[in-house]
Amino acid sequence: MAKRKSMSQSDVSNVWKRVWSVERVTSARATFSNRLFIEGFRVMRPLIRGDVRTILETGTGSGRYAVAFAKDFPNAIVTATDLVPQSLDATMRLARDAGISNVTVEVADVERLHYETGVFDVVFSDALVQHVSDDTKAMAEMSRVLKSDGVLIVAVVNRWSLHFFVRFIESILHRSNEYGSERFYTHAQLRKMVETVGLEVLTQTGFYPAYGIYRLGRFWRPFAVLGRILNRMTRLLDTVTGDSISRWLGFEIVIVARKPKATSDSL
């Protein structure tokens, strides 16, 4: 898992403005019809139990997961956080567009969360950890703010995905990474990081193996068509292999971990 140099807040803000312009994320219809979101939410949604009351999302980006969770869990308060104000503006616009009122937004740094210890039932993070300067510190902070028996759900880019090899080819061709840079993780690396901060791993999975090919459609349209075909084939293969293709070769891999219940000795 390659480390990268730390990015300043100015760098992060510039990436957001360049990659995630507000105009691209204010339409609920366009946001929720995004194929990457559809494939991801299909996997993420069942990982959250129905009785949750507090959900924290770190690095909310467009706000699509936060708003979707708020819609599906109307009795929960979803707190969407990000370092970039434009992200939070976009999230609130998306919530209003979708008619969702149980979302709050706050500026927060995942490596230095300002919340008290043990306040959230679920902490969720998608495609954030790979960009922060200290991924273990970020994981520790997300664990800290979880309630006893709370659940952490973290998704990161897979080291063994087609996307990794696309990025490798792009680097050979000296094409710049629009995100500045990013890490890639294996299941074992992600599991070790979670266990290091004292959490119990419940399951690991993944989604959308064809995404790396689909994204190449930006350069040559037939790749987008091929990506759609591969996605359909993957879904079919997953039905007979217990989701093994997506679990091991997905664009993103997902880990679900639980914070151990507090014992009388620790009180």
Side-chain angles (χ1 to χ4, degrees):
M1 157 175 64
K3 295 288 183 180
R4 66 171 180 84
K5 64 180 182 180
S6 177
M7 294 176 67
S8 69
Q9 176 56 47
S10 176
D11 292 333
V12 173
S13 297
N14 287 334
V15 167
W16 166 261
K17 292 173 183 176
R18 184 172 65 250
V19 178
W20 295 99
S21 65
V22 173
E23 288 76 17
R24 290 176 58 187
V25 296
T26 52
S27 166
R29 181 177 181 180
T31 299
F32 297 132
S33 63
N34 176 276
R35 177 50 56 183
L36 179 59
F37 169 75
I38 291 172
E39 296 295 334
F41 192 71
R42 179 179 63 85
V43 171
M44 309 291 194
R45 171 59 178 80
L47 301 175
I48 301 177
R49 62 181 187 268
D51 62 345
V52 296
R53 291 294 180 266
T54 52
I55 300 173
L56 172 69
E57 182 182 12
T58 59
T60 193
S62 68
R64 57 194 181 189
Y65 278 105
V67 174
F69 288 146
K71 179 179 182 294
D72 278 17
F73 299 95
N75 295 321
I77 298 298
V78 179
T79 303
T81 66
D82 205 290
L83 270 176
V84 184
Q86 290 91 338
S87 169
L88 303 181
D89 291 343
T91 299
M92 290 312 298
R93 293 186 187 190
L94 183 62
R96 288 194 297 268
D97 193 13
I100 302 300
S101 60
N102 55 322
V103 173
T104 62
V105 299
E106 294 184 1
V107 174
D109 182 350
V110 68
E111 296 181 46
R112 303 169 186 83
L113 293 172
H114 58 270
Y115 304 107
E116 295 183 2
T117 298
V119 292
F120 294 101
D121 295 316
V122 173
V123 176
F124 172 81
S125 175
D126 173 60
L128 169 68
V129 172
Q130 67 231 31
H131 297 297
V132 301
S133 58
D134 189 333
D135 50 3
T136 301
K137 186 174 182 180
M139 198 72 74
E141 276 292 274
M142 289 189 286
S143 172
R144 180 185 65 79
V145 301
L146 269 178
K147 291 180 180 178
S148 173
D149 207 34
V151 172
L152 175 70
I153 303 170
V154 173
V156 295
V157 177
N158 184 8
R159 172 64 174 78
W160 300 115
S161 66
L162 288 172
H163 178 69
F164 170 81
F165 293 103
V166 169
R167 286 297 196 201
F168 178 71
I169 293 171
E170 287 179 339
S171 68
I172 292 175
L173 297 176
H174 303 290
R175 291 187 177 273
S176 61
N177 185 325
E178 66 265 39
Y179 296 105
S181 61
E182 59 191 325
R183 299 184 188 88
F184 296 83
Y185 297 80
T186 66
H187 279 282
Q189 289 167 335
L190 187 57
R191 185 183 188 96
K192 180 179 180 181
M193 188 162 52
V194 166
E195 291 176 337
T196 296
V197 300
L199 298 180
E200 173 194 358
V201 175
L202 300 178
T203 189
Q204 290 181 266
T205 186
F207 63 91
Y208 208 179
Y211 184 63
I213 297 299
Y214 177 79
R215 288 193 77 217
L216 288 176
R218 296 177 300 169
F219 309 111
W220 192 43
R221 183 63 180 172
F223 277 120
V225 177
L226 178 59
R228 293 190 184 98
I229 294 172
L230 287 176
N231 189 46
R232 293 191 182 99
M233 292 175 60
T234 299
R235 295 286 292 274
L236 289 173
L237 289 171
D238 277 343
T239 60
V240 297
T241 63
D243 291 332
S244 292
I245 305 299
S246 290
R247 181 183 303 118
W248 296 107
L249 300 177
F251 163 61
E252 290 190 49
I253 53 176
V254 184
I255 194 162
V256 185
R258 179 170 54 204
K259 190 171 186 176
K261 291 184 178 180
T263 64
S264 56
D265 291 337
S266 63
L267 300 177

